[in-house]
Amino acid sequence: MSTVTRHEMPNGDVVFYDDPKHSYWREHDELRGKCSGRLTGASTISKVFDLDAFGPGAGWGAKMTREGVSILAADGLAEPDSLAWLASPDGIYDRLRDARLRHTDKRDDAADRGTNVHDVVLASLATTGAAPDLPSLTEDEAGYARGLLGWWLDREPVGERSELVVTDLENGTAGRLDLICTIDGRRFLVDLKTGKQLRTSAHVQARGYEWMYTVSGGEPVDDVLLVLARADGSWLECECAASERDWLDAVQVYRSAAGIRRRQGAVERAAA
């Protein structure tokens, strides 16, 4: 059974989504089961606006690594001989990897958490208007789910579309927006995030969804909202602070960076 789904836009453009690979494509050969013409996801594009590679982001990664090492070391203190892995960077990395305590594992867990909250809570609210059963979520996920439920009950949105694939084939981008809804007589595109705070890239990503939604033939919305659901069950709503120009600049910077990498790679291969 194919894991690739076909999505046709109101303007006739078609995008294929490969679920296991979380990737968007221009073409899909059903006979060969192969996709071609990869499109870049909105979340990937928008990350060029997170300028803290050597700031808070790096600090968070280092903190996660320290916590992971301390957890493993504490488990081995009763048997000092079992702490030999601490003697080398490779040994430390291997132990962190095996225990899924690297900062990248934490990042991936956060992404899975957001996906689960979307799939279980947002899908139910958008399609039926009813609160879903939360036992299928972990304790951590349930806190974020309560935040989303709180926002829904307070703001009373009327869902129109959810989990909608959008694209801009000219710029080679695609993504899946969370929700199109009406609140107090105004139509909004809503992007849900889970965590402690909204990053700059979240605003750019949400504006990218609006751009692609409109380019692919969707009826323009009145505004774009970001909703942050927190672990303690609270929530924050704010208007998108990024402009269309910000999104298009992000696309251009990402493409330029990719071009530089290709040219540099060609130079290195020629030199080798």
Side-chain angles (χ1 to χ4, degrees):
M1 182 177 179
S2 176
T3 59
V4 177
T5 54
R6 181 181 186 274
H7 301 269
E8 183 170 351
M9 308 297 113
N11 66 356
D13 288 343
V14 174
V15 170
F16 297 91
Y17 178 68
D18 189 337
D19 188 47
K21 295 180 179 179
H22 304 292
S23 55
Y24 299 90
W25 304 83
R26 295 176 184 271
E27 305 287 345
H28 175 235
D29 187 329
E30 293 186 12
L31 293 179
R32 299 174 58 236
K34 299 291 185 180
C35 291
S36 60
R38 185 160 186 170
L39 301 166
T40 310
S43 60
T44 300
I45 293 288
S46 63
K47 283 183 172 60
V48 303
F49 264 81
D50 284 332
L51 304 178
D52 60 351
F54 300 100
W60 176 82
K63 178 183 178 183
M64 293 298 100
T65 300
R66 292 195 302 271
E67 289 183 358
V69 171
S70 67
I71 291 171
L72 294 174
D75 291 339
L77 285 177
E79 301 178 28
D81 291 342
S82 67
L83 296 178
W85 55 271
L86 284 170
S88 72
D90 288 343
I92 293 173
Y93 178 84
D94 290 343
R95 286 299 298 270
L96 289 171
R97 179 198 60 205
D98 294 342
R100 284 193 55 78
L101 289 172
R102 298 169 300 176
H103 74 281
T104 51
D105 297 319
K106 299 296 184 181
R107 179 201 61 199
D108 293 343
D109 289 344
D112 291 340
R113 176 194 71 212
T115 298
N116 290 341
V117 172
H118 279 68
D119 291 348
V120 174
V121 183
L122 186 60
S124 177
L125 291 171
T127 56
T128 68
D133 293 329
L134 297 186
S136 60
L137 298 175
T138 67
E139 181 178 351
D140 182 44
E141 292 168 346
Y144 296 100
R146 286 191 291 272
L148 174 56
L149 285 169
W151 172 79
W152 193 279
L153 293 173
D154 285 350
R155 298 291 278 142
E156 298 182 343
V158 178
E160 178 182 321
R161 297 293 301 272
S162 65
E163 300 297 321
L164 180 65
V165 172
V166 292
T167 189
D168 176 358
L169 292 182
E170 182 177 351
N171 280 322
T173 62
R176 188 185 299 267
L177 63 82
D178 289 336
L179 180 67
I180 301 291
C181 66
T182 301
I183 302 175
D184 296 332
R186 300 181 68 208
R187 289 180 73 246
F188 293 95
L189 185 154
V190 178
D191 194 36
L192 169 68
K193 298 297 182 186
T194 59
K196 294 181 179 179
Q197 61 185 9
L198 291 170
R199 300 175 68 88
T200 304
S201 58
H203 289 268
V204 178
Q205 181 180 355
R207 189 63 70 186
Y209 287 140
E210 183 203 21
W211 172 268
M212 291 187 288
Y213 174 68
T214 304
V215 165
S216 57
E219 182 181 352
V221 296
D222 294 312
D223 209 343
V224 177
L225 297 177
L226 284 85
V227 175
L228 176 68
R230 301 191 181 98
D232 61 2
S234 63
W235 57 269
L236 169 71
E237 175 191 289
C238 66
E239 294 182 359
C240 180
S243 66
E244 290 182 352
R245 185 71 262 163
D246 293 328
W247 165 251
L248 295 175
D249 285 346
V251 173
Q252 182 59 49
V253 170
Y254 183 86
R255 299 294 178 219
S256 295
I260 293 170
R261 288 194 296 270
R262 285 194 298 270
R263 292 191 291 274
Q264 178 62 26
V267 170
E268 292 176 353
R269 288 190 295 272

